[in-house]
Amino acid sequence: MKKFTCAGDIGPWREAVKEALEIKRDRFAHTHLGRNRTLLMLFFNSSLRTRLSTQKAAMNLGMNVMVLDVNQGAWKLETERGVVMDGDKAEHLLEAIPVMGCYCDIIGVRSFAGLKDRESDYQEKVIEQFIRYSGRPVFSMEAATRHPLQSFADLITIEEHKTKERPKVVLTWAPHPKALPQAVANSFCEWIGLTDYDFVITHPHGYELSPQFTGNARVVYDQDAALDGADFVYAKNWSAYAGDNYGKVLSTDRSWTIDSRKMALTDNAMFMHCLPVRRNMIVTDEVIESPQSIVIAEAANREISAQTVLKRMLESL
């Protein structure tokens, strides 16, 4: 596998999940693959789970790891062509990328959406330049439009916890004080769309996601109706996608917060969130601390999703 940015890169999802669960049973079975190989992790944005889980996954495989916080530990990088570089950005990404490629075997990149220009964000300019110019396998540690390592971990977690072959999975928008990208929601839709789960998306009017990601999922604007009989509830905020509202917060309606009353509408559903979570905005304390909350198990599987991807990339070298 030479790149990993979307669900399509993983191949048949059942095989990928099976491989991930085998890795989880013995995380050190493939340390020979990473011996004398180096992973470079580049962060244009903050991280906790992604940084730690991916670094741990690489170490499980015997790899050396270098981590660079681009906006703190390096020259500020220009990403656009044709710019007169007379400001505070001292180096262009087009020189930096091939130099980085000289020092490593695999590159992971984390670069969020700017939420100002939808066309620019959805072109994924940053990670696409790494794929084109680094000469190395490249994987996304969250990009402008997707967060595939998170969604792969989400799928692994659902497969581990489901009690019926075709569970009802509900992705629900929830309020947040700041504008957030659509990446996690897009990616979750894309990955769950691979399965035959009963998949429902619920959100207020104006928060419709790109049809590129929602596919054939049912969209229900009544949250209570959507939650009825759910087996898994995945709460997540995202900003508006459509038209002139792109990147805007259209609502902070607290009636969409997942609380005990909302969870009582479900079929004893498991609660999921990618973390970090704004307590009592996205979800109440009692729900996230309940036995039905699997957010920690979900976060733990980030190590496993990353290790599966890295293993496949090492096998392709």
Side-chain angles (χ1 to χ4, degrees):
M1 186 162 62
K2 297 297 186 183
K3 77 174 183 72
F4 178 74
T5 63
C6 65
D9 292 331
I10 202 70
W13 73 270
R14 292 185 188 278
E15 292 181 18
V17 169
K18 180 182 177 183
E19 183 176 355
L21 293 176
E22 289 172 354
I23 287 170
K24 190 171 184 177
R25 284 189 286 272
D26 186 355
R27 298 168 204 232
F28 304 104
H30 307 284
T31 54
H32 62 284
L33 291 174
R35 189 174 299 120
N36 298 326
R37 299 288 192 180
T38 298
L39 168 65
L40 173 59
M41 298 166 59
L42 290 160
F43 292 90
F44 289 83
N45 299 96
S46 300
S47 175
L48 188 154
R49 276 148 295 277
T50 298
R51 181 189 295 254
L52 296 179
S53 62
T54 308
Q55 189 165 354
K56 179 63 163 61
M59 292 164 63
N60 292 349
L61 290 165
M63 299 187 76
N64 302 309
V65 182
M66 298 188 295
V67 180
L68 180 63
D69 291 297
V70 174
N71 295 320
Q72 297 179 23
W75 301 113
K76 288 188 177 181
L77 296 176
E78 179 57 63
T79 61
E80 299 293 330
R81 291 177 176 272
V83 174
V84 176
M85 293 176 59
D86 59 355
D88 64 343
K89 296 178 179 178
E91 186 162 9
H92 202 286
L93 206 59
L94 291 180
E95 285 79 61
I97 289 172
V99 168
M100 294 175 192
C102 295
Y103 304 145
C104 63
D105 300 285
I106 296 174
I107 299 176
V109 180
R110 183 175 177 91
S111 180
F112 292 174
L115 293 181
K116 298 186 185 306
D117 183 334
R118 187 178 78 177
E119 182 179 358
S120 177
D121 284 345
Y122 275 66
Q123 287 175 355
E124 294 286 14
K125 291 181 178 180
V126 173
I127 196 164
E128 287 298 325
Q129 288 185 86
F130 275 92
I131 292 168
R132 184 172 180 181
Y133 297 114
S134 69
R136 302 298 183 194
V138 174
F139 66 96
S140 170
M141 298 191 298
E142 188 170 356
T145 63
R146 295 176 172 94
H147 194 351
L149 288 176
Q150 177 65 55
S151 300
F152 186 15
D154 296 337
L155 183 55
I156 294 166
T157 306
I158 292 172
E159 284 293 295
E160 286 183 307
H161 288 85
K162 70 181 186 181
T163 58
K164 60 185 71 167
E165 190 58 33
R166 188 172 183 263
K168 180 179 180 180
V169 178
V170 178
L171 170 65
T172 178
W173 178 92
H176 194 282
K178 296 173 60 178
L180 298 183
Q182 300 93 35
V184 171
N186 285 345
S187 204
F188 187 76
C189 291
E190 186 175 59
W191 283 73
I192 299 304
L194 298 175
T195 73
D196 61 353
Y197 300 163
D198 179 9
F199 183 39
V200 178
I201 305 168
T202 184
H203 53 71
H205 288 280
Y207 279 101
E208 291 78 10
L209 295 164
S210 169
Q212 170 189 355
F213 297 106
T214 57
N216 296 322
R218 286 186 290 138
V219 177
V220 177
Y221 294 97
D222 181 331
Q223 188 189 41
D224 284 4
L227 292 172
D228 182 40
D231 299 294
F232 293 89
V233 174
Y234 198 110
K236 183 70 181 79
N237 175 267
W238 60 88
S239 59
Y241 165 78
D244 293 338
N245 286 327
Y246 177 71
K248 292 182 180 179
V249 175
L250 304 181
S251 172
T252 56
D253 183 357
R254 293 279 297 280
S255 71
W256 283 77
T257 299
I258 297 297
D259 57 18
S260 295
R261 186 192 73 80
K262 298 289 179 67
M263 292 299 288
L265 300 172
T266 72
D267 187 11
N268 201 29
M270 302 288 185
F271 175 80
M272 301 179 70
H273 189 278
C274 60
L275 303 182
V277 66
R278 299 271 185 147
R279 283 183 175 225
N280 302 305
M281 284 289 293
I282 301 288
V283 59
T284 58
D285 290 334
E286 62 265 28
V287 171
I288 198 168
E289 294 175 8
S290 75
Q292 296 307 109
S293 173
I294 54 174
V295 297
I296 303 304
E298 186 182 356
N301 277 332
R302 291 293 308 280
E303 176 187 345
I304 306 306
S305 64
Q307 188 166 338
T308 307
V309 169
L310 285 170
K311 173 180 175 286
R312 290 188 175 192
M313 287 190 158
L314 287 167
E315 289 170 337
S316 74
L317 293 177

